[in-house]
Amino acid sequence: MNRVILAVAGGRKTQSIVEDCRSCPEGRRILVLGYTTASQHELLTRIRAAGVHGHQVEVMGWFAFLLQHLVRPYLPLLYEGRRLTGLNFEGDPGRYATGIERFLDTDDRAYMLHLAKLAHDVAAASNGAAIDRLEHIYDEIYIDEVQDLGGWDLEIIQLLLKTKLRITMVGDMRQALLSTNIKDPKNKPYRKEKIFNWFQLMEQRKLLSIEQAPTTYRSSQPIATLSDSIFDPSLGYAPTISASTETHEHAGLFTVREADAIEYAQRHEALCLRHSRAVAKHLDLPFMTFGVAKGRTVDHVLIYPTAKALQFLTGGARLEGQAACALYVGVTRAKHSVAFITDQQLLNTTAWTRAPILPKAPGPS
């Protein structure tokens, strides 16, 4: 049965793919797809470290998959005489382009902007040949970070779900900060974190089963509980349970005054996070944005909250959409402590104060 595994941050999503690959029967042919270059590198590194050899498992990017297995072999069936030469990453054919001009530039490179739609159309033009070819090459396909897919990508996934292939997808909608194509109007109601509704629709059609994996092996329970509170319970996410057994002398949720932020960051070697470069420019801290920090694990995190995040943290309205996902990603990077730079007192936090400077012990007389 096809399945989508929705795991929380720190839930060993990628590791679950690696373990499945390692335990697969001899001769089983597996394709593992990742969206970002970083995720592909991480998958390949871990799979090799687990002793799984390349003849069993192949790691590929999502765009490379669409090009290599759907568009390139069967493009002439849709557009006679045309051969794919590559991918145009940044080009835009224009809003009113139609026909082949909408999908290929003058050098016959596919526009990334419309690649998924082109792949879908080519697969349809092949009258089942594209899917039959995939079924003869692979037995299983894994898709990592599935929350980053949207638009016509979901139509491609639906095609795959109807094949003989066993499809397994892993992801966390609450970390939906990236997107294969944010301009793609297809499946607009299911963009980013709302992809959960699309999974539910596919489950209703008996094309997959949804498995929630709410255990985090990274963050302590106070951090996990805070991360849960960012989202409305009506969204249906299972409460996060911490299985972390690590302890630390500096653990919990804190507020740090702006005047103390630099000292705090240095003392606890905290990862400093903010929403964008436009935020907290007056503080001389090695900030990283939430999106860039995605995938990292550290002991301590120091966050400069946006005005909306601060309102939520003081008991105001919950965050929604990208604002909620960004704060979730920031909070869940930490294993032991999360601190917010603010002079206000926040709910369920402890105000951090500088430790007193003790006098030096007298030297030998």
Side-chain angles (χ1 to χ4, degrees):
M1 178 66 176
N2 301 320
R3 57 187 180 140
V4 57
I5 303 170
L6 305 176
V8 297
R12 297 179 178 174
K13 294 180 289 295
T14 301
Q15 189 59 30
S16 69
I17 295 177
V18 175
E19 291 171 359
D20 278 3
C21 292
R22 182 169 53 188
S23 62
C24 71
E26 186 70 28
R28 195 77 172 161
R29 301 162 302 173
I30 298 176
L31 175 63
V32 182
L33 301 175
Y35 170 39
T36 65
T37 302
S39 71
Q40 294 163 46
H41 176 74
E42 180 74 9
L43 284 162
L44 189 58
T45 300
R46 290 199 197 182
I47 288 171
R48 285 177 174 172
V52 181
H53 301 293
H55 72 278
Q56 289 178 298
V57 180
E58 182 180 357
V59 177
M60 183 180 292
W62 177 253
F63 296 130
F65 166 70
L66 297 180
L67 289 168
Q68 182 173 323
H69 287 296
L70 297 180
V71 178
R72 191 183 300 276
Y74 300 103
L75 180 65
L77 297 180
L78 182 63
Y79 297 113
E80 187 176 354
R82 305 300 287 266
R83 293 287 180 181
L84 185 72
T85 62
L87 182 63
N88 187 328
F89 282 91
E90 299 179 353
D92 187 341
R95 182 178 180 182
Y96 300 107
T98 59
I100 193 169
E101 286 76 20
R102 185 170 181 80
F103 300 113
L104 301 179
D105 65 15
T106 55
D107 295 320
D108 280 349
R109 297 177 302 169
Y111 289 111
M112 188 174 71
L113 193 63
H114 302 298
L115 179 58
K117 175 65 164 68
L118 175 62
H120 186 272
D121 289 354
V122 169
S126 77
N127 291 319
I131 296 302
D132 182 68
R133 178 177 179 271
L134 276 173
E135 291 174 341
H136 280 81
I137 298 174
Y138 304 109
D139 299 302
E140 300 183 44
I141 295 180
Y142 286 82
I143 304 175
D144 195 16
E145 302 288 2
V146 70
Q147 76 278 351
D148 294 333
L149 303 184
W152 277 96
D153 295 321
L154 300 185
E155 300 301 310
I156 298 294
I157 292 177
Q158 188 168 182
L159 283 179
L160 296 176
L161 293 175
K162 296 177 179 178
T163 68
K164 298 176 184 178
L165 296 161
R166 184 187 181 197
I167 309 299
T168 301
M169 300 171 281
V170 299
D172 181 3
M173 294 80 62
R174 288 163 288 191
Q175 297 190 61
L177 290 180
L178 304 176
S179 176
T180 49
N181 186 358
I182 198 170
K183 295 181 180 179
D184 191 341
K186 186 69 174 179
N187 290 308
K188 189 174 181 180
Y190 306 120
R191 282 182 180 173
K192 296 188 178 294
E193 76 278 4
K194 294 178 182 177
I195 195 175
F196 185 47
N197 298 330
W198 187 82
F199 292 140
Q200 291 177 315
L201 179 62
M202 294 300 104
E203 187 174 48
Q204 291 170 10
R205 294 178 181 176
K206 302 188 183 306
L207 292 176
L208 58 76
S209 63
I210 298 174
E211 299 177 15
Q212 294 208 44
T215 301
T216 178
Y217 299 88
R218 176 191 298 158
S219 302
S220 64
Q221 191 59 55
I223 295 173
T225 301
L226 171 62
S227 71
D228 284 344
S229 72
I230 296 171
F231 296 90
D232 194 308
S234 66
L235 294 174
Y237 300 139
T240 304
I241 301 168
S242 174
S244 173
T245 58
E246 291 188 28
T247 59
H248 198 281
E249 61 182 2
H250 182 69
L253 307 175
F254 300 89
T255 57
V256 178
R257 295 186 307 149
E258 284 200 15
D260 297 332
I262 293 176
E263 181 178 340
Y264 179 92
Q266 293 174 345
R267 182 176 298 187
H268 298 292
E269 299 181 343
L271 176 66
C272 302
L273 299 177
R274 61 184 174 184
H275 186 268
S276 69
R277 293 181 181 180
V279 176
K281 292 190 291 185
H282 60 289
L283 289 176
D284 186 19
L285 287 169
F287 279 115
M288 184 180 293
T289 63
F290 296 126
V292 173
K294 186 180 174 185
R296 297 193 58 170
T297 298
V298 297
D299 286 341
H300 311 290
V301 162
L302 179 61
I303 296 174
Y304 192 95
T306 62
K308 286 186 177 180
L310 201 58
Q311 183 181 9
F312 159 70
L313 292 166
T314 53
R318 277 193 173 88
L319 298 171
E320 295 181 352
Q322 287 287 279
C325 293
L327 184 60
Y328 176 86
V329 168
V331 166
T332 55
R333 298 311 91 202
K335 293 196 291 185
H336 303 298
S337 76
V338 175
F340 297 96
I341 302 174
T342 177
D343 292 349
Q344 299 183 46
Q345 184 57 48
L346 307 181
L347 296 175
N348 303 314
T349 62
T350 300
W352 183 81
T353 56
R354 299 185 184 190
I357 300 175
L358 301 176
K360 291 183 179 180
S365 55

